[in-house]
Amino acid sequence: MFSTGLLLAPGLHGGFLFDDYGSLPVLGDTGPIHSWATFWRYITSGYADPTGRPLALLSFLLDARDWPAIPFPFKRTNLLLHLLNGGLLALLLRQLGRHIQNRFAQHDSSPIDKAALLGASIWLLHPLFVSTTLYIVQREAMLPATFTLIGLLLWLHGRRAIQQGRTTAGLMEIVAGLGGCTSLATLSKANGILLPALALVIEYILLRSYESAGHPATAPANVKAMRHGIRWDDNKTYRNTMLLFAWLPTSMVAAYLLQQGWSGLIHGISSARPWTLGQRLLTEPRVLMDYLTLLWMPRPFTPGLFNDQIQASTSLWSPITTLPALCSIVALIAGSWRLRQRWPSLATGILFYFVGQSLESSTVALELYFEHRNYLPAMLLFWPLALWLCDAYVVTVKITGRSHVSRATSRLAKPALSALILLGLGLMTHARATLWGDSRDQAMLWAALNPNSPRAQTYAADIEIANNQPQQAIARLQPLLTKYPDQVQLALPLISAECQTGQIDSATIRAARLSLSTARDTGALLANWFNQTINEIGTTPCPQLTYDTIDSLLDSSLTNPYLSAIQGREQDIYHLKGHLALSRGDAQTALNDFNHALDLQVRPAIALEQAAMLGSAGHPRLGLIHLDHYDAERNQEAQPDFGMPRLHDWVLRRQQYWPREIMHLRATLQSDTTRQTSRNP
């Protein structure tokens, strides 16, 4: 593990990326987290998943308690967590091997232990997981893996305790593992709820395959149990416990996925997605096959975080790889089930992988492709290879019950191959980590590997604009905008790049209007770009960037039917129009736009922000009028969504947070108004 840390160390010097800016700034949303009040406001502020992922948020407090912050401590903690997961995986593989070993008449456990260490090392050193480890926000993918590994270890230990007659202790460990750790994993990210299903895969594909193979050491459970002094009632207790803590949550997850599929196919999904749920279901087999290719034929550099160029499958033949990928996935799953008694460890690795992918790669309408989705599912994939390389007998068990001991054809060939695999993985991981430590090289390589990705090209263009290379950015963005005219993330940075040269082409403005009127979703880019650009009007070298130009772009976005269907987007636009009017000195129009923005979604946060903007611009009386408008409409506030948002709202109300903030702002605005009146009687 020490060597893995050294190989990944160059990546610790990289910066924040993309979703980091969506999750981490909440560290300073309500001030530094130095009291219980600020702690509870922060820990309940998550919006991803119904749970809000509070344990992931809690872990970020190890690295910073305010924002802005520096990225190094966050990345360091991610690396330590990755190393911890590698150690836990080695323990899990060792325990699985030892559990199976006890079913046979062999006593030499060294091949089992070596295979556990090798299987965990292959996973730990795999270059595909560099992006998970060094992408700070993906701690949300790493923590569920940690709790899943701990949960499986506790469950296995409790299972063995029951077999040895220690029923009470065993049950407590199973409840802690499948109950407690599932809760902790789910509070880190929703896919943590798959822990019970993963335990069932191990139970029925690996453990029971050996127990029912007919070997003398694996006699029927009741006979064997009586021979070791275990009462049949204890086995019944175990079955009931598994029904409650494994089968019940697994059935609930399956029902949820079916419900999501039915709803998505019948009623459709969010208009922000450029594909239907049916198209997603056709596409995911291609995605999974690509994942498996990267896992078994690793390479140092991959498309990374940019996968928006993935073409959705529209039928079994479009693209042509859809049907072969689907058939391959079905064959892998069916073949693993069919051969689970002959090759249990191999079948377990494959089925563990697909069950681990079931939440994020099926009917939930998430984005199509992300590398970090392999982090937990791939944990058992390399164990069968390690068992073979270490000459461990548990690679295969024939249905007749005879154990097949794998013999090395050469005493040197397999150790040499093992060393070569680890060396190759280590070199690729080091190369990729080095890239993650250099933001500019990373952006340029990702752009080269993803020529048709608007995100990749925009990221590279942003780097070029920041380095005063606008011509390179223009050359990068213009062709792709012609190909993808609805991509706001191309059109707006193109305006910035051309402005840096001193001249914005009128065709670029027209293209931006078109993209704003047709984009499916603009995300945070809409507010970020316009707020920054409005503040820069009059200070830029391009005369075409005027208030009227910005106003026309915002008007184009108001005609976009997709944006009007997404909660909060239309409010953002009217808020920006108010900001624009305020910047050009038209305070009354700004007040009208701010009031309209507030009416679209009554929220105290937006009322405070807009009233403060009016006060800061020298119009405290209008700021008070805006707060009065909020008071008149506050009964129209929508009920927060079920889950963490509702709990967060309860915390704020319990602390009287918004009333105190409004009272403080109102007092400030009233004082400023009094001073203005006294100066201008």
Side-chain angles (χ1 to χ4, degrees):
M1 286 194 289
F2 178 74
S3 60
T4 303
L6 290 178
L7 292 171
L8 286 166
L12 298 178
H13 304 289
F16 295 111
L17 288 167
F18 310 108
D19 287 345
D20 290 341
Y21 292 105
S23 298
L24 299 179
V26 294
L27 284 162
D29 267 0
T30 62
I33 303 170
H34 53 61
S35 65
W36 282 112
T38 52
F39 171 80
W40 288 115
R41 291 200 296 270
Y42 165 72
I43 208 68
T44 60
S45 63
Y47 55 87
D49 304 338
T51 67
R53 306 177 183 177
L55 285 184
L57 292 178
L58 179 64
S59 73
F60 292 136
L61 292 180
L62 296 171
D63 313 307
R65 297 189 179 182
D66 199 1
W67 188 263
I70 58 175
F72 180 83
F74 294 92
K75 291 179 180 286
R76 179 185 57 201
T77 301
N78 275 25
L79 174 56
L80 293 174
L81 186 61
H82 182 57
L83 298 179
L84 172 63
N85 286 341
L88 290 171
L89 177 59
L91 291 176
L92 175 64
L93 297 180
R94 180 176 181 270
Q95 191 161 328
L96 288 174
R98 291 291 183 89
H99 186 100
I100 296 167
Q101 182 188 17
N102 290 339
R103 298 289 173 179
F104 295 87
Q106 298 198 18
H107 302 287
D108 184 10
S109 61
S110 60
I112 296 292
D113 296 345
K114 291 177 183 177
L117 184 59
L118 179 59
S121 297
I122 293 174
W123 177 86
L124 192 65
L125 283 170
H126 203 290
L128 188 64
F129 305 129
V130 171
S131 59
T132 306
T133 305
L134 296 179
Y135 188 12
I136 293 169
V137 76
Q138 289 314 324
R139 191 177 304 175
E140 296 172 349
M142 301 172 73
L143 278 172
T146 305
F147 291 118
T148 296
L149 289 168
I150 295 172
L152 291 174
L153 285 166
L154 286 170
W155 162 66
L156 285 170
H157 197 271
R159 187 181 190 273
R160 178 172 294 181
I162 290 178
Q163 290 176 334
Q164 294 173 347
R166 296 182 289 113
T167 305
T168 302
L171 287 177
M172 290 178 64
E173 288 181 305
I174 291 174
V175 171
L178 298 185
C181 287
T182 298
S183 300
L184 294 173
T186 306
L187 291 174
S188 302
K189 191 178 180 181
N191 63 344
I193 203 170
L194 293 174
L195 167 54
L198 297 173
L200 289 176
V201 171
I202 295 174
E203 170 83 15
Y204 286 94
I205 306 303
L206 185 70
L207 304 181
R208 295 205 180 188
S209 292
Y210 282 101
E211 292 171 355
S212 62
H215 191 279
T218 56
N222 55 341
V223 176
K224 188 72 175 176
M226 293 299 294
R227 186 182 304 170
H228 288 277
I230 307 174
R231 300 187 305 274
W232 173 253
D233 287 344
D234 291 337
N235 288 333
K236 184 177 180 181
T237 300
Y238 174 73
R239 289 199 306 272
N240 290 337
T241 304
M242 291 297 288
L243 282 173
L244 180 61
F245 289 97
W247 281 108
L248 179 60
T250 298
S251 300
M252 292 173 63
V253 171
Y256 171 76
L257 293 176
L258 288 173
Q259 184 274 330
Q260 287 290 298
W262 175 261
S263 176
L265 292 173
I266 299 300
H267 304 294
I269 58 176
S270 169
S271 60
R273 300 299 187 199
W275 31 260
T276 65
L277 182 61
Q279 290 170 345
R280 185 181 201 276
L281 292 175
L282 287 174
T283 306
E284 284 307 306
R286 290 171 41 225
V287 170
L288 291 171
M289 289 305 298
D290 192 64
Y291 290 159
L292 289 171
T293 301
L294 290 174
L295 286 165
W296 284 105
M297 292 186 288
R299 51 182 185 264
F301 306 117
T302 67
L305 308 185
F306 302 109
N307 301 285
D308 51 324
Q309 79 278 16
I310 297 292
Q311 178 187 354
S313 296
T314 55
S315 72
L316 290 173
W317 300 274
S318 179
I320 194 64
T321 54
T322 303
L323 183 58
L326 179 60
C327 292
S328 298
I329 297 299
V330 172
L332 282 170
I333 294 174
S336 298
W337 176 259
R338 173 73 175 171
L339 299 174
R340 67 190 184 279
Q341 289 187 321
R342 185 177 293 274
W343 296 304
S345 58
L346 181 61
T348 301
I350 293 173
L351 293 176
F352 188 97
Y353 177 79
F354 286 117
V355 171
Q357 290 281 6
S358 62
L359 196 64
E360 295 181 299
S361 300
S362 60
T363 57
V364 181
L366 305 172
E367 291 202 38
L368 297 176
Y369 190 117
F370 275 119
E371 291 178 358
H372 66 261
R373 292 175 183 169
N374 293 279
Y375 188 79
L376 170 60
M379 284 186 164
L380 300 190
L381 268 185
F382 309 112
W383 187 43
L385 173 63
L387 290 168
W388 176 74
L389 289 170
C390 295
D391 288 327
Y393 58 81
V394 294
V395 177
T396 59
V397 175
K398 291 186 178 179
I399 297 176
T400 59
R402 296 175 182 176
S403 63
H404 174 72
V405 180
S406 175
R407 299 182 181 276
T409 58
S410 167
R411 291 185 178 274
L412 297 178
K414 288 183 178 179
L417 180 57
S418 301
L420 185 62
I421 290 172
L422 294 179
L423 177 62
L425 292 174
L427 290 174
M428 287 187 282
T429 290
H430 180 69
R432 196 171 188 196
T434 301
L435 180 70
W436 273 78
D438 189 322
S439 297
R440 188 185 185 284
D441 287 350
Q442 185 182 55
M444 297 304 118
L445 180 61
W446 281 349
L449 293 175
N450 300 278
N452 294 314
S453 165
R455 292 177 185 171
Q457 302 308 319
T458 299
Y459 179 47
D462 287 341
I463 297 289
E464 289 166 336
I465 292 170
N467 287 300
N468 294 314
Q469 297 175 316
Q471 293 296 347
Q472 288 91 324
I474 293 169
R476 183 182 301 281
L477 296 172
Q478 273 184 341
L480 210 57
L481 181 58
T482 302
K483 186 175 182 179
Y484 301 111
D486 63 338
Q487 289 293 323
V488 173
Q489 60 186 320
L490 297 172
L492 298 184
L494 181 57
I495 292 177
S496 298
E498 290 189 357
C499 185
Q500 200 173 75
T501 68
Q503 179 72 29
I504 302 177
D505 195 303
S506 59
T508 300
I509 299 297
R510 290 196 298 271
R513 292 193 187 107
L514 175 63
S515 67
L516 285 165
S517 64
T518 57
R520 287 185 173 269
D521 189 15
T522 58
L525 174 65
L526 183 77
N528 293 340
W529 187 87
F530 276 101
N531 275 322
Q532 179 179 344
T533 304
I534 290 170
N535 291 332
E536 293 175 350
I537 293 177
T539 64
T540 60
C542 51
Q544 297 81 14
L545 194 63
T546 64
Y547 292 116
D548 289 339
T549 300
I550 299 299
D551 198 29
S552 70
L553 292 174
L554 289 171
D555 286 340
S556 295
S557 62
L558 283 174
T559 66
N560 189 327
Y562 297 119
L563 297 185
S564 62
I566 299 174
Q567 187 180 48
R569 292 291 180 262
E570 193 173 358
Q571 182 180 62
D572 289 343
I573 297 169
Y574 276 101
H575 170 79
L576 291 167
K577 286 180 73 69
H579 183 189
L580 180 66
L582 198 58
S583 297
R584 67 198 309 177
D586 189 350
Q588 186 58 52
T589 299
L591 175 63
N592 294 338
D593 287 331
F594 285 159
N595 285 346
H596 186 66
L598 183 62
D599 291 341
L600 290 169
Q601 187 181 358
V602 180
R603 295 183 296 128
I606 190 69
L608 277 166
E609 180 184 358
Q610 294 178 157
M613 288 174 66
L614 288 165
S616 297
H619 306 282
R621 183 181 63 84
L622 297 184
L624 289 170
I625 292 174
H626 186 60
L627 289 181
D628 290 340
H629 183 76
Y630 166 72
D631 286 338
E633 300 293 328
R634 63 187 306 172
N635 61 332
Q636 300 298 320
E637 285 185 41
Q639 178 83 345
D641 293 337
F642 177 77
M644 190 58 74
R646 194 165 297 179
L647 179 59
H648 181 63
D649 180 67
W650 179 84
V651 168
L652 295 176
R653 285 188 285 106
R654 177 87 173 181
Q655 295 181 3
Q656 291 291 301
Y657 178 76
W658 292 121
R660 287 189 291 104
E661 292 293 308
I662 291 173
M663 182 175 65
H664 176 72
L665 179 59
R666 187 180 285 277
T668 301
L669 293 173
Q670 186 63 59
S671 176
D672 291 345
T673 301
T674 302
R675 282 199 298 270
Q676 277 189 351
T677 303
S678 64
R679 289 197 303 265
N680 302 291

